[in-house]
Amino acid sequence: MLKSQTTRAINPEADPLMLGAGWSPADLSCPQILLDSAHGDSHPGSRHLKELSDAAQNGVYKWGGKPSQYTTTDICDGVACGHDGINYSLVSRDLMAGMVEAHAASLPYDGLITFSSCDKSVPAHLMAIARLNLPSLHVCVGSMMPVPEFTTAVKCYETREALANGEMEAHTADFFTTNACGSYGACQYMGSAATMQILAEAMGLALPGNALMPAWANILRHKAQEAGRAVMRLQETGITAHQILTKKAFENAIMIHAAVSGSTNALLHLPAIAKQAGIAIDPKEFDRIHKEIPVLCSLQLSGKWPGQLLWYAGGVPGIMRQLKEFLHLDALTVTGKTLGENLEALEAQDFFQQANRYLSNYKRSPQEIIQPIDKPYKKDGGLGILFGNLAPEGAVIKHASVDPAMHDHTGPARVFDSEEAAICAIENGEIIPGDVVVIRFEGPMGSGMPEMFKTTEVLHTKAHLRNSVALVTDGRFSGASRGPAVGHVSPEAAKGGPIALIQENDLIHIHVERRCVALVGVEKEERSKEEMREILAERKKKLPPYIQKRQGILGLFTRTAASPWEGAGMF
């Protein structure tokens, strides 16, 4: 018997309450499908979700189910960055996942469709799907329209600097501000939003060809209605999330992540999703796979093209066509078919030719956007996992966005206990080429693990610093971050990790090829490994315990969050 019908038999109050909410008597005995979206006025990626949920509602009705629409909106990292609001970013992911769990369990529902597009809402929804283990799928709600010069909102960091320096007229700066976000949908660069849409499809939890669809196009509404049919098919066949979320599914996701040089935030979100499905992901798996899979796409901000052109070139299926020899083609997906069967069906339906027609407007070929595997954009994946006496449990660098000259760098530490203090020092001219800026106490236990995006952008806007100053932090980065930035340093400072022991003018060595980040000297003078062990041991003895002062939901998160390698979550 369906879960919803079992509850009806137990609780005589449920039927009249549902009838009071507008249900018909016939609806009561149908499979109950929860449509949970991030709809709200919070940002462009969530503003249009009601109409997509409405389209899926029609699909569920057509195929014999009773849909119910719920919503818990998300915050925007772009709006929150650079101030204390960003501290709430990761905790918002966990709260959102918890609300979907509570919504689904309340009736309880027999199936689930989630709708979102952005940094924390997509992983939140995928975490909830994994935790609930219902017949479920996710609808990726698309990306923004490409705008003049393929501008993004990040451009406004540069225009503000140019305006302040008298290098740009106010009306020109206003043009970029007005046009940077051309429509509803996720941001156009390969940030966390685009990355997580791609990974939802790569894992088999979104319909083929769904990730990064044009948010403004009717075909996305058609895809949402198709999701209504798909969830009913999953419910009828008894296929649940755990049958899709296998180890093979996560390995496929990491391979696609490498090919698009996706956001480092995936190293938080994929382990968090996997944990809900009872699967462990070792950070070394990211490094191994990224060494095997080349970067096929030159995508903003470290490359040329906006994300929507990736969809025009064939999207996730287009990348999968290039990676067939590596992927687990027998992995099950929400269509009820395997990944390989889905690709065959897309070929038969002329999906690739139809998507490619959009590229004719730009006079580009699909091969320019998704490069052939034998002629990749970059020879290996976009990121690496670094280890050393500074990060014994690991750290991450998106080396695809780092000038090769900085792949081997040693410089003096400039130490800050908050992002705000570091930004102030950069703006005041206190940081010089060769320095290594250290921002600590920004990990999950320290302040909720905010992203250091504003710091990377402030460095990038200063030409003499953008490719000469490294950043090392126990915080995280936006998927849009660029430059020599090492994040997720573990153990974090609040747990007494070695990053808490760094002193001003200690020498820090970063070597991408050797996968190393280490303290190698004191007062700008190199020391032996044995000397550094002794120095760090002495500093550790004098390190005072970290005092947690956060309150409210952020305080709960910082007291309970796991390490970054376990998803940095409360659950």
Side-chain angles (χ1 to χ4, degrees), residues 239-253:
I239 296 175
T240 65
H242 286 188
Q243 292 168 261
I244 296 169
L245 289 174
T246 63
K247 189 63 179 288
K248 289 182 178 180
F250 287 99
E251 288 179 351
N252 283 343

Side-chain angles (χ1 to χ4, degrees), residues 60-80:
V60 172
Y61 265 129
K62 282 183 181 180
W63 294 94
K66 173 60 181 80
S68 291
Q69 294 179 305
Y70 286 52
T71 182
T72 301
T73 199
D74 52 344
I75 65 173
C76 177
D77 281 20
V79 172

Side-chain angles (χ1 to χ4, degrees), residues 87 178 182 198 216 243 250 263 304 317 335 338 354 394 409 531 564:
N87 295 342
T178 304
I198 287 169
W216 41 268
Q243 292 168 261
F250 287 99
S263 167
K304 184 186 300 183
T335 64
T338 66
Q354 292 170 17
H409 177 73
E531 286 177 309

Side-chain angles (χ1 to χ4, degrees), residues 47-64:
R47 184 64 180 81
H48 61 305
L49 271 60
K50 178 63 167 64
E51 59 182 291
L52 297 175
S53 182
D54 287 345
Q57 180 174 251
N58 291 336
V60 172
Y61 265 129
K62 282 183 181 180
W63 294 94

